[in-house]
Amino acid sequence: MAQREQGATMTTDRLFTSWDETHSELWGHQTIRLEHSLHRQPAFSLDDLARLIETYPREHYSLVRTGAQGSSRIWRDGDIGKLSGREVIEAISRGGLWLNLREVSSIDRRYHDMIDQMFAEVAAKVPGFEAPTHQAGILISSPDAQVYYHVDLPGQGLIQIAGRKRVYVYPNTPPFIRPEHLEDCALFQSEVDIPYADWYDEHAKVIDLEPGQMLSWPLNAPHRVENLCTLNVSMTVSYVNDAVRRAQALHLANGMLRHRFGYTPKSDRLRGPAFFAKRVTQRLLRDSKWVKRERAARCPIEFRLDEADTGTVADLLKATSKAASEVASDSRFWK
């Protein structure tokens, strides 16, 4: 993992600017919108973000091409190639892309200090809240980009820095999310593959986010995002405590039992002999060749940003089936 930048200092100003007692009561139980000051930090200027992109470790970013809102579903992983940071941002601004700079708080000290302070403020306001392990990523996304219906295993929040987006948050109960969906997420790291139906939207909490606002929702609540016609910069934050860590181990172990050994798990207990056995099993097998092969098969790198024509992409994989050929040649994909 890349070394953190040295010499950064944490702001002494409060990051949450309008926290009240209702937020303390609702944190972790309901979807809440909070006001923050992070969008004023110099580290989020376009110049600083461009420099960050140019030096970002390849293993820690994802470049994804999605279908425009209202079009057929497309989800392809790609590479920024040799473009400068400014050129990457320009390509994203032209549509259909989002860049996820994962684990940025481990790469750059400035963002690490921001998130440290943010969780310290939450812990001071929410009795019993702990986030001994936390992480952040930066999302830069196109005006028409969307993030499909998905779920995250850690505790999660979304901080809006620039642009506007609409977030749909759904109940973290069946039918919106089932144990086998969480197992697949833990095992295959395929968060966007969970089933979705249009009528789910009738039960979603829909919130528009502006710069200076943050959204927090209950653990494992499915959600999807639509940008509102502007280039967007956001920061995702995630955290893990003992309860979350136990749940993740359970989901991974149950997923292995279901997919690797053909056994349907019957327990979701987070303590006791059965849970201990599952915890040992997932520790032994989570880095196995089978797991790595299954994960790699689900997210191949399929395109690279075109150096000669900013805003277009060059295919890296030949279509391996009629369906793949149709998606790759769909005219809507290239516009």
Side-chain angles (χ1 to χ4, degrees):
M1 189 169 290
Q3 284 260 318
R4 292 179 183 148
E5 293 183 359
Q6 300 299 312
T9 58
M10 181 168 57
T11 177
T12 56
D13 297 328
R14 289 186 306 162
L15 298 183
F16 291 112
T17 57
S18 61
W19 190 293
D20 62 37
E21 292 182 0
T22 65
H23 297 134
S24 299
E25 293 289 336
L26 294 173
W27 178 273
H29 305 293
Q30 296 291 329
T31 301
I32 55 175
R33 180 168 49 192
L34 300 157
E35 305 292 324
H36 69 81
S37 61
L38 284 168
H39 60 306
R40 302 192 189 100
Q41 295 287 332
F44 287 113
S45 71
L46 286 183
D47 285 340
D48 278 42
L49 291 174
R51 285 191 290 269
L52 182 67
I53 291 169
E54 291 171 355
T55 60
Y56 216 74
R58 179 61 189 89
E59 66 272 20
H60 291 303
Y61 81 74
S62 297
L63 178 68
V64 176
R65 191 161 186 91
T66 68
Q69 295 167 27
S71 71
S72 57
R73 180 182 172 114
I74 297 171
W75 187 269
R76 307 181 81 201
D77 285 280
D79 190 277
I80 65 175
K82 297 180 180 179
L83 271 65
S84 69
R86 276 287 189 174
E87 289 172 328
V88 171
I89 295 173
E90 172 63 22
I92 293 171
S93 73
R94 297 193 181 187
L97 293 166
W98 57 265
L99 177 66
N100 184 5
L101 304 177
R102 302 189 307 273
E103 302 182 25
V104 70
S105 52
S106 297
I107 305 299
D108 190 307
R109 185 78 191 188
R110 295 171 298 173
Y111 307 102
H112 170 270
D113 289 348
M114 292 178 203
I115 301 307
D116 260 6
Q117 179 175 341
M118 191 202 83
F119 279 112
E121 290 185 21
V122 175
K125 298 288 188 179
V126 181
F129 175 80
E130 293 181 335
T133 303
H134 50 262
Q135 191 56 266
I138 293 176
L139 295 175
I140 305 173
S141 52
S142 300
D144 62 345
Q146 60 182 316
V147 179
Y148 299 118
Y149 186 82
H150 71 287
V151 69
D152 298 289
L153 296 180
Q156 198 80 7
L158 180 63
I159 300 170
Q160 192 67 2
I161 302 298
R164 300 171 57 245
K165 57 171 28 80
R166 179 164 296 156
V167 186
Y168 297 73
V169 184
Y170 304 80
N172 59 351
T173 57
F176 308 99
I177 189 71
R178 300 183 187 277
E180 55 267 32
H181 303 153
L182 295 171
E183 294 167 14
D184 288 355
C185 291
L187 180 56
F188 302 125
Q189 298 179 345
S190 54
E191 294 88 349
V192 297
D193 288 342
I194 61 175
Y196 164 76
D198 289 341
W199 64 265
Y200 287 7
D201 288 0
E202 299 172 19
H203 304 273
K205 188 164 187 177
V206 184
I207 298 177
D208 288 357
L209 280 189
E210 307 275 351
Q213 296 179 336
M214 172 188 175
L215 206 57
S216 173
W217 51 79
L219 182 67
N220 300 151
H223 47 281
R224 67 183 185 88
V225 183
E226 297 176 348
N227 283 359
L228 298 177
C229 302
T230 61
L231 178 72
N232 270 243
V233 179
S234 310
M235 175 176 272
T236 59
V237 292
S238 62
Y239 63 89
V240 175
N241 52 31
D242 183 64
V244 173
R245 187 174 290 107
R246 285 174 175 271
Q248 289 178 321
L250 175 76
H251 300 321
L252 181 55
N254 282 349
M256 290 174 176
L257 291 173
R258 188 185 302 273
H259 290 281
R260 186 71 177 91
F261 302 107
Y263 174 78
T264 301
K266 296 181 174 60
S267 172
D268 58 0
R269 292 177 60 85
L270 296 178
R271 300 188 182 276
F275 171 75
F276 178 77
K278 289 178 180 180
R279 195 167 198 173
V280 171
T281 298
Q282 61 90 25
R283 283 178 176 171
L284 292 174
L285 298 179
R286 64 190 177 190
D287 294 322
S288 67
K289 291 182 179 179
W290 180 83
V291 170
K292 292 178 180 178
R293 183 176 64 248
E294 291 295 313
R295 287 176 176 173
R298 284 166 168 78
C299 54
I301 303 301
E302 299 184 38
F303 71 89
R304 177 176 294 128
L305 294 182
D306 195 323
E307 299 168 34
D309 188 3
T310 303
T312 61
V313 300
D315 241 337
L316 296 180
L317 296 180
K318 292 182 178 180
T320 57
S321 66
K322 179 180 179 182
S325 298
E326 290 172 351
V327 169
S329 61
D330 186 340
S331 61
R332 290 170 296 184
F333 177 82
W334 302 102
K335 293 181 179 178

